[in-house]
Amino acid sequence: MFKRFLKATLEVQLAITCSVLCLLSGLILTFLASFSSFYLQKESRDFLGQALADQLSKQIIESIETGDLIDLVGSLQSFISDSSATVALVYDIEENILASAGKFADGSPQYTAPILIGRDLAGSVVIEINSSRKDLLQLRFIVSLMGLAIFFSIVIFFASKKLSLFITRRLRYAVEQLEINEKNHLKENNVLVELEKQIENLPIN
């Protein structure tokens, strides 16, 4: 592969070099953007999850005080239907489950908040947020950035190849001015290599 690159014309060498540099730059920017997006998304999700857990712990205090488990289960089901939480559980002070709603999913983040009646701890709530949709959107975002990086590298390849023709034309003109008429002289495909040979073949006074 590298030998083919060395034997290619100067226009192609310049175009490949520029496009590869553009692709590397695009991939580095994609990595930085995806890392930043992941961090911001995690921070936002953690803030939302903890806020929902705190909200639920305050919302069910009355049901905990009265011991109405039916009302407690209804509150949990209403909570997960009206929020982004997919699972809600209530534990008593001895870590026994009092009520639950929803089903656990593997890999989803969980958030916990204490249930306080006055200053006394009465138990805790645990909620789970399904982040699969946001993860899919983030993956699409990364793939789209990689696609843009590849697209721009292809555009840069053809643009730089077109622009490099102006350079190679002047070099070829210089080669023609230095060219010594020799029999069986094989011209090189790369104009720089040809120019070097012509300079080496110049007569030395």
Side-chain angles (χ1 to χ4, degrees):
M1 182 67 71
F2 186 68
K3 290 182 179 180
R4 289 184 179 181
F5 174 79
L6 294 177
K7 292 180 179 179
T9 61
L10 181 61
E11 305 94 73
V12 174
Q13 288 180 346
L14 290 174
I16 291 176
T17 303
C18 292
S19 62
V20 168
L21 291 175
C22 177
L23 181 59
L24 289 176
S25 306
L27 292 178
I28 291 173
L29 290 175
T30 299
F31 172 76
L32 294 176
S34 61
F35 180 79
S36 176
S37 175
F38 173 79
Y39 177 77
L40 292 175
Q41 180 179 326
K42 184 179 182 302
E43 191 177 50
S44 175
R45 183 182 60 198
D46 291 344
F47 178 80
L48 174 63
Q50 193 57 53
L52 289 175
D54 292 336
Q55 176 187 340
L56 179 60
S57 67
K58 296 175 182 178
Q59 185 177 323
I60 61 174
I61 288 178
E62 184 177 348
S63 300
I64 295 294
E65 287 178 326
T66 59
D68 189 348
L69 296 181
I70 296 177
D71 184 60
L72 181 59
V73 172
S75 298
L76 296 183
Q77 291 176 344
S78 175
F79 179 79
I80 63 175
S81 63
D82 296 337
S83 67
S84 58
T86 56
V87 176
L89 296 95
V90 178
Y91 292 89
D92 63 13
I93 197 170
E94 296 178 352
E95 297 296 327
N96 298 315
I97 297 178
L98 295 177
S100 64
K103 294 182 179 180
F104 282 103
D106 294 334
S108 296
Q110 297 180 359
Y111 304 93
T112 305
I115 302 172
L116 297 175
I117 300 177
R119 294 184 177 180
D120 298 327
L121 179 65
S124 62
V125 297
V126 176
I127 67 168
E128 184 177 276
I129 295 179
N130 188 356
S131 60
S132 59
R133 185 175 181 276
K134 290 185 178 180
D135 292 340
L136 179 61
L137 291 176
Q138 185 180 14
L139 179 61
R140 288 181 178 178
F141 172 71
I142 295 173
V143 171
S144 63
L145 287 180
M146 292 180 65
L148 282 175
I150 295 172
F151 172 76
F152 280 123
S153 66
I154 294 174
V155 172
I156 290 296
F157 174 82
F158 289 105
S160 57
K161 185 179 180 182
K162 187 79 173 178
L163 292 174
S164 62
L165 289 174
F166 294 101
I167 300 174
T168 54
R169 283 174 184 171
R170 300 190 67 177
L171 289 175
R172 291 188 189 280
Y173 177 76
V175 170
E176 291 174 358
Q177 296 298 315
L178 296 173
E179 188 173 3
I180 301 174
N181 295 324
E182 296 179 356
K183 293 183 179 180
N184 302 323
H185 175 67
L186 296 177
K187 290 189 176 182
E188 295 290 339
N189 194 29
N190 192 311
V191 65
L192 284 180
V193 178
E194 179 66 21
L195 181 60
E196 289 176 356
K197 286 192 173 183
Q198 292 293 343
I199 292 174
E200 290 176 356
N201 292 331
L202 285 175
I204 301 175
N205 295 329

